[in-house]
Amino acid sequence: MVQSRRRGGNYRCPRRAALPAAALLLFLLAAVALLCVSPPPVSDHPVLASSRRRRSPHALLNSLGGGSMDESERREIFRVPTNGSTVRDDLWGSKLASKFYGCSNSSSKFLDSKNTTQPDRYLMIVTSGGLNQQRTGIIDAVVAARILNATLVVPKLDQASFWKDSSNFSEIFDADWFISSLSKDVKIVKELPEIGGKHRAPHRMRVPRKCTERCYLNRVLPALLKKHVIRLTKFDYRLANRLQTDLQKLRCRVNYHALRFTAPIQEMGQKLTQRMRERSKYFIALHLRFEPDMLAFSGCYYGGGEKERRELGALRKRWKGLHPNPEKGRRQGRCPLTPEEVGLMLRALGYSKDVHIYVASGEIYGGARTLAPLKALFPNLHTKETISSKEELAPFSKYSSRMAALDFIVCDESDAFVANNNGNMAKILAGRRRYFGHKRTIRPNAKRLYPLFLNRANMSWDAFSSKVHMFQKGFMGEPKELRPGRGEFHENPSTCICERTDGKAKSRNDQILDSSSDRGKAIGEPAVPNYTGEEVGESDDDEDAPAEKEVIDLEMDDEPLVGPDDPELEQILSD
């Protein structure tokens, strides 16, 4: 009998032999113990299991890695802990943050605007895109006016873009504070005044993207001297990433101190933040970016079968310049993570199941069904709609930029911010959080995480978590994570971040006050240049041309999915 057991290899009891009672009891006790120490995997959740079944055969084959294990065996390997791990202190902030602070005061050589502004020069700009793309244009407009020694007219916001928001500057930003706080840097007026007793029609121009100081002096200044009023249209990314120190610090003063939201927006944003604080001491803000339009022009496939291909394919037909390659985009990290993937990344980093998450997003593709896997991993999910009433949101709900401003405030105030794409909001918030104390800012390293997600069924949770930690090094918002000059200045304002040497801590309100060691080149009266290969722009139909050789940050994978030949597509992608 014993020999037959060994030959069979399955230790089956003989049909006619009764199992001893002691052995049966021992077997039952072992089974109960195994159930206690082995919680069911996240894929056993009915919603998550159904989402697995919706995956394409191609995606499923990739996830299996070509192995011969059946589904039950794979589930035994990859198990997400039921309760998660104890959250470490460093997940809510960097231990090195106290050694760095924002420093954006000008040097003693940066002359007061009263000594530089010329009385017959006025600069007007028209921004492009959504809230955060427009914000970059406003910041750069102040610097452009300083380069030209011109008076800046309060910028006009784009009201005809994809975002369809009719708000003007003063309905989103505090115009009076904007003007007064920058008075020593640039003279700013709300409306174009009469010049010589006459109303002057502005001369319309467009400058190339990444236009340098020299570019502005060569292209814009001669026309400004002749016409006195210049309007620069499509003003987004029209200033070089690298400028002299004092101009970079001016950018920071505009971005982090002069641009305040209006009182109604600020008050509502603080209410939302306070309601998140009432629920938990710490909370995560997640900029999910999983709207139908975003997924359509990302060109990626998310496992929704023929229904997804049909729905997103119909949206893609709106953009002629879009030629997606789903597999290539996914491999290169160009696709937003799915809600489930974001949740798995956060759990692997150490955030426990009971953490509260504020989801900043528009309409989620697939709605509650798409969010279900994330909610299974983190049950405490909130949005501005779930923690406020319709009456409270009524003054903002019809305006996309004002709704985006509410999300911006909560994301800025969060203890950890997760950006699921690298658009303008993600970049601006990343830079802002660096400037104000290097608050924890997580950007998924999608390029490295993608193959890990595909193959996760073939590894243990501990192995998966270890790899997530390894791949996310350099993507957690740590000080000196990016070298100076890397990436967009709004994301990495290295010129405006100083390292503390005295060991003294400073409050958020004091951070701007210590820059006595800053040095910068003086900005005096620019001379009319000789033209050396650059022409003066004469019409609104000027072609965009590269004006500066930019440093490409290969580590950050910021290359856009599409070219700038489709303005609407670019606006959606960038914000």
Side-chain angles (χ1 to χ4, degrees):
M1 181 174 65
V2 174
Q3 288 176 349
S4 97
R5 276 186 174 179
R6 288 175 180 172
R7 281 197 303 270
N10 53 12
Y11 292 85
R12 289 177 299 175
C13 295
R15 293 181 180 178
R16 293 174 181 162
L19 187 66
L24 179 61
L25 179 61
L26 185 61
F27 174 77
L28 291 174
L29 289 174
V32 171
L34 182 61
L35 290 174
C36 291
V37 297
S38 302
V42 70
S43 57
D44 286 344
H45 187 283
V47 177
L48 300 184
S50 65
S51 73
R52 295 259 191 272
R53 289 193 293 271
R54 287 194 298 271
R55 296 172 67 187
S56 69
H58 176 66
L60 183 59
L61 181 62
N62 285 339
S63 69
L64 302 184
S68 59
M69 283 187 291
D70 62 28
E71 184 66 21
S72 62
E73 288 175 310
R74 284 188 296 274
R75 288 181 178 180
E76 289 298 320
I77 294 177
F78 186 81
R79 291 174 175 272
V80 181
T82 302
N83 296 320
S85 58
T86 302
V87 179
R88 305 188 312 271
D89 290 339
D90 62 347
L91 285 177
W92 298 116
S94 169
K95 294 179 180 178
L96 301 175
S98 60
K99 297 182 179 180
F100 299 87
Y101 62 98
C103 53
S104 58
N105 277 359
S106 62
S107 72
S108 58
K109 296 181 180 180
F110 195 71
L111 303 179
D112 192 291
S113 62
K114 293 178 181 178
N115 300 320
T116 61
T117 306
Q118 300 301 303
D120 55 350
R121 300 181 192 177
Y122 290 89
L123 179 66
M124 306 176 73
I125 66 115
V126 181
T127 63
S128 293
L131 173 68
N132 298 290
Q133 188 171 338
Q134 292 184 4
R135 188 183 185 107
T136 63
I138 294 166
I139 294 164
D140 290 348
V142 175
V143 179
R146 174 72 193 205
I147 291 171
L148 297 168
N149 288 337
T151 296
L152 177 68
V153 180
V154 167
K156 179 178 174 57
L157 304 186
D158 183 0
Q159 299 176 338
S161 72
F162 167 85
W163 303 101
K164 300 292 188 297
D165 192 313
S166 61
S167 302
N168 58 39
F169 185 97
S170 61
E171 289 173 320
I172 298 177
F173 300 105
D174 186 335
D176 292 330
W177 172 254
F178 178 71
I179 293 170
S180 62
S181 64
L182 293 170
S183 60
K184 292 185 178 181
D185 300 308
V186 173
K187 183 179 179 181
I188 305 175
V189 295
K190 291 184 178 180
E191 301 289 343
L192 179 67
E194 293 183 352
I195 302 175
K198 299 179 181 178
H199 289 285
R200 296 283 187 106
H203 177 68
R204 295 166 64 90
M205 291 180 61
R206 190 182 301 169
V207 294
R209 294 201 164 196
K210 306 296 183 182
C211 197
T212 61
E213 295 171 64
R214 182 184 174 207
C215 168
Y216 274 92
L217 299 181
N218 283 355
R219 290 174 178 261
V220 183
L221 182 59
L224 187 59
L225 294 175
K226 181 179 179 180
K227 302 292 186 178
H228 302 294
V229 183
I230 296 293
R231 173 178 285 171
L232 300 179
T233 60
K234 283 201 68 179
F235 200 81
D236 55 346
Y237 314 109
R238 304 290 160 168
L239 188 61
N241 197 44
R242 291 186 174 185
L243 300 171
Q244 59 170 285
T245 299
D246 265 326
L247 293 182
Q248 296 288 57
K249 287 182 177 289
L250 175 56
R251 264 178 164 163
C252 294
R253 291 197 293 280
V254 180
N255 194 2
Y256 307 130
H257 301 280
L259 272 181
R260 287 183 180 175
F261 292 118
T262 59
I265 293 175
Q266 194 65 38
E267 289 168 6
M268 188 64 209
Q270 292 300 328
K271 279 184 182 180
L272 296 175
T273 302
Q274 182 59 34
R275 288 170 188 175
M276 289 300 298
R277 293 263 177 247
E278 291 169 356
R279 287 166 169 79
S280 179
K281 181 179 179 181
Y282 301 110
F283 74 92
I284 296 172
L286 167 61
H287 190 213
L288 193 54
R289 285 305 261 136
F290 216 71
E291 298 91 345
D293 287 308
M294 178 68 187
L295 302 189
F297 64 67
S298 76
C300 302
Y301 175 66
Y302 294 94
E306 186 57 35
K307 182 174 184 290
E308 177 188 316
R309 290 190 176 94
R310 184 176 63 255
E311 292 173 347
L312 298 185
L315 291 175
R316 289 184 186 119
K317 292 179 181 179
R318 294 163 49 183
W319 302 297
K320 297 178 181 179
L322 183 60
H323 304 288
N325 183 330
E327 188 61 27
K328 181 180 178 181
R330 192 83 158 140
R331 288 197 311 268
Q332 293 181 344
R334 312 295 186 196
C335 306
L337 302 187
T338 66
E340 180 184 16
E341 290 169 344
V342 172
L344 288 172
M345 178 195 70
L346 291 175
R347 290 290 295 276
L349 287 173
Y351 292 100
S352 60
K353 188 175 183 178
D354 59 355
V355 166
H356 288 252
I357 298 180
Y358 177 91
V359 179
S361 180
E363 174 194 0
I364 301 294
Y365 178 69
R369 174 179 57 82
T370 301
L371 281 176
L374 176 60
K375 195 170 181 64
L377 291 162
F378 292 96
N380 299 311
L381 288 186
H382 312 278
T383 66
K384 53 184 173 293
E385 288 81 9
T386 63
I387 59 175
S388 61
S389 66
K390 289 184 178 180
E391 291 74 21
E392 288 177 308
L393 291 179
F396 316 98
S397 58
K398 295 181 180 179
Y399 305 95
S400 61
S401 291
R402 300 183 207 184
M403 292 289 274
L406 297 179
D407 281 340
F408 186 99
I409 292 170
V410 182
C411 289
D412 184 34
E413 295 290 337
S414 67
D415 301 288
F417 171 61
V418 182
N420 197 24
N421 83 318
N422 204 35
N424 284 315
M425 181 170 171
K427 289 179 179 178
I428 290 176
L429 278 168
R432 183 178 180 87
R433 291 170 71 87
R434 284 188 171 102
Y435 183 85
F436 287 118
H438 285 88
K439 294 190 288 184
R440 178 62 67 217
T441 303
I442 302 171
R443 178 188 163 194
N445 184 354
K447 187 174 183 179
R448 301 293 302 278
L449 291 175
Y450 169 58
L452 183 63
F453 286 132
L454 281 183
N455 198 44
R456 68 182 185 267
N458 294 328
M459 65 183 72
S460 69
W461 174 256
D462 287 343
F464 175 81
S465 178
S466 177
K467 287 183 179 294
V468 169
H469 277 274
M470 180 172 62
F471 294 159
Q472 282 301 121
K473 287 183 178 179
F475 291 79
M476 300 291 288
E478 290 285 336
K480 296 187 176 181
E481 196 174 69
L482 298 177
R483 295 199 302 273
R486 287 280 190 167
E488 292 286 337
F489 184 74
H490 300 300
E491 180 182 17
N492 182 27
S494 54
T495 309
C496 303
I497 296 177
C498 296
E499 188 168 0
R500 199 178 306 282
T501 57
D502 57 7
K504 295 179 181 178
K506 295 187 177 176
S507 69
R508 180 168 174 147
N509 293 330
D510 293 336
Q511 286 176 335
I512 192 176
L513 302 179
D514 185 7
S515 58
S516 58
S517 61
D518 297 341
R519 292 291 181 267
K521 182 180 177 182
I523 304 286
E525 172 61 23
V528 179
N530 295 320
Y531 304 111
T532 55
E534 290 184 301
E535 299 177 351
V536 177
E538 288 296 342
S539 73
D540 195 34
D541 298 324
D542 291 345
E543 293 293 329
D544 292 348
E548 178 186 42
K549 185 177 180 180
E550 288 292 301
V551 175
I552 299 175
D553 188 357
L554 297 178
E555 298 173 5
M556 298 307 293
D557 294 324
D558 281 351
E559 185 180 324
L561 288 167
V562 295
D565 55 338
D566 192 325
E568 182 184 62
L569 186 60
E570 187 180 19
Q571 287 166 6
I572 307 170
L573 180 66
S574 63
D575 227 56

